[in-house]
């Protein structure tokens, strides 16, 4: 399923793991990587349900771009337990320019493959995706 614009294919596993997270909450998070040589998006890392936001943040490389999904649990002002599925476009300032361009140009097409994303976050450094940012965007 490559698209002419970015020429990026999406590995079937990307969708399958997302559906498992969405339907069965099998994972806390999924980190996706673009294999530039193969021109496809693949699953790089899966977070266990018991893992935290800290574990998630630690799984994103400091100087390489990634896409990620995070299943965020929170309690509303009315004391209801809820969860929201976040799509995170991680593009650190220190990443290679070419890499940032590839991730940016492939993002919307990749997101369309994952049906059920509720919030999108763009982050260029860790402060832009810390826990407070998730909390404020979830409500």
């Amino acid at each position: 399923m490559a698209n002419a614009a970015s020429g990026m294919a999406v590995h079937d596993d990307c969708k399958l793991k997302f559906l498992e997270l969405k339907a069965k909450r099998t994972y806390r998070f999924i980190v996706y990587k673009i294999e530039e040589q193969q021109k496809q998006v693949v699953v790089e890392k899966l977070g266990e349900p018991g893992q935290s936001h800290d574990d998630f943040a630690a799984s994103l490389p400091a100087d390489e771009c990634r896409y990620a999904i995070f299943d965020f649990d929170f309690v509303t002002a009315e004391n209801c337990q809820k969860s929201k599925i976040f799509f995170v476009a991680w593009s650190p300032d220190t990443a290679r320019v070419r890499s940032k361009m590839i991730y940016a140009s492939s993002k919307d097409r990749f997101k369309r493959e994952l049906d059920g994303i509720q919030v999108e976050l763009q982050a260029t450094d860790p402060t832009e995706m810390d826990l407070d940012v998730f909390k404020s965007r979830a409500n």
Side-chain angles (χ1 to χ4, degrees):
M1 294 183 294
N3 128 4
S6 71
M8 199 58 63
V10 176
H11 194 281
D12 289 344
D13 221 27
C14 294
K15 244 175 163 164
L16 290 171
K17 297 289 187 259
F18 176 77
L19 290 171
E20 287 174 16
L21 176 147
K22 186 173 86 162
K24 307 189 201 113
R25 312 201 67 195
T26 318
Y27 313 107
R28 171 66 54 200
F29 59 84
I30 308 170
V31 179
Y32 298 101
K33 176 185 187 176
I34 292 178
E35 295 283 8
E36 290 182 26
Q37 271 65 46
Q38 289 85 14
K39 286 201 183 320
Q40 70 167 350
V41 187
V42 297
V43 173
E44 182 181 48
K45 223 172 246 174
L46 296 166
E48 299 297 316
Q51 290 193 289
S52 68
H53 175 274
D54 285 342
D55 297 316
F56 168 66
S59 70
L60 294 170
D63 49 10
E64 287 179 32
C65 301
R66 291 292 185 273
Y67 300 131
I69 292 289
F70 186 78
D71 185 10
F72 180 62
D73 289 328
F74 63 103
V75 178
T76 65
E78 299 78 47
N79 222 25
C80 293
Q81 187 71 43
K82 285 216 172 141
S83 81
K84 287 254 171 96
I85 295 176
F86 277 72
F87 177 88
V88 180
W90 171 240
S91 183
D93 294 327
T94 49
R96 290 180 304 124
V97 172
R98 177 176 156 72
S99 177
K100 288 191 221 186
M101 284 168 58
I102 292 172
Y103 275 81
S105 67
S106 306
K107 184 190 69 169
D108 288 337
R109 166 149 196 311
F110 179 59
K111 266 180 63 189
R112 280 200 296 276
E113 298 286 329
L114 309 178
D115 184 34
I117 293 167
Q118 291 162 299
V119 186
E120 181 184 331
L121 269 190
Q122 303 260 6
T124 58
D125 74 61
T127 61
E128 294 177 349
M129 54 162 197
D130 68 18
L131 201 51
D132 290 337
V133 175
F134 275 81
K135 283 176 184 159
S136 68
R137 294 292 304 277
N139 287 309

